[in-house]
Amino acid sequence: LQGDLAQQPSSEASMTEKQRTVAIALDHTGGEYVFNWAMEEWLRPTDFVLIIHAESVHTPLFINLPIPAGGMMPSVSGTSHMAFNAFSLQDSKQELEEFKKFVTPFAQRLTAAGIKFDAILVHGEPRDSIVDACEHHKVDGLIIGSRGHGAMKRAILGSVSTYAVQHCSCPVVVVKPKP
């Protein structure tokens, strides 16, 4: 999806502002609060917004249980290519429709505000996909949400926002949900 409604500069100051490319990572669980914060606190009419929606591709795991001398030692390996082989054309059409439905309210608000935008759907591990998209599109900043997992869940699941802060070459703003 792309927004083409360009807002006319209302003052000399806005005519001299550099256009920033601001990425906003949105997911189904907390996209609205992140987007609302960005609209209210961060975005300028001259910005170009890149909405990034990452879908996990769950890779099949193959568990090999060799029995070495001295006992059993499981090893786990995954293969990402198999997940793509199992992904049918019908699935991708349905996924695209779901993506459009998810992004449309955000696109409408950006259009109403006169902010140019693009929206992309990326596949893979969300933390890697978001960072890669930011690098590929050479964004000036990333706005991402924090789910507020406790230390235990964060240690087990990892944190997409923490990973982005550590690996993005651009500044990253982490927006926490209001209590």
Side-chain angles (χ1 to χ4, degrees):
L1 296 173
Q2 292 182 340
D4 295 329
L5 245 175
Q7 183 175 2
Q8 296 298 321
S10 59
S11 69
E12 284 185 40
S14 64
M15 289 183 1
T16 60
E17 281 182 12
K18 176 192 175 288
Q19 182 183 37
R20 302 180 304 177
T21 299
V22 179
I24 306 175
L26 300 175
D27 66 8
H28 293 286
T29 61
E32 194 163 341
Y33 83 86
V34 174
F35 187 82
N36 289 340
W37 185 89
M39 289 292 290
E40 294 166 13
E41 305 293 337
W42 197 264
L43 296 177
R44 303 176 190 155
T46 56
D47 288 340
F48 178 83
V49 173
L50 178 67
I51 297 172
I52 303 172
H53 181 63
E55 284 289 331
S56 294
V57 174
H58 301 288
T59 56
L61 292 176
F62 295 94
I63 299 175
N64 181 16
L65 299 173
I67 303 175
M72 195 186 306
M73 194 103 165
S75 65
V76 179
S77 63
T79 55
S80 60
H81 69 278
M82 295 194 98
F84 288 108
N85 290 343
F87 194 68
S88 73
L89 185 58
Q90 182 60 37
D91 290 337
S92 63
K93 286 180 182 177
Q94 180 181 351
E95 184 181 37
L96 184 58
E97 288 306 313
E98 289 172 9
F99 169 67
K100 287 179 182 178
K101 184 177 178 181
F102 172 72
V103 169
T104 295
F106 305 117
Q108 290 170 337
R109 288 189 55 199
L110 288 167
T111 299
I115 298 174
K116 293 182 179 183
F117 68 92
D118 199 355
I120 60 171
L121 174 63
V122 292
H123 288 94
E125 183 63 39
R127 64 188 202 165
D128 295 318
S129 300
I130 291 167
V131 170
D132 291 347
C134 288
E135 301 303 315
H136 177 77
H137 292 278
K138 298 176 178 33
V139 302
D140 298 305
L142 168 65
I143 301 172
I144 190 168
S146 170
R147 293 187 185 172
H149 289 312
M152 182 62 93
K153 267 193 176 175
R154 209 173 28 254
I156 294 169
L157 300 174
S159 167
V160 175
S161 58
T162 299
Y163 185 87
V165 167
Q166 294 172 345
H167 292 90
C168 271
S169 61
C170 65
V172 178
V173 176
V174 179
V175 181
K176 289 184 163 190
K178 292 182 181 177

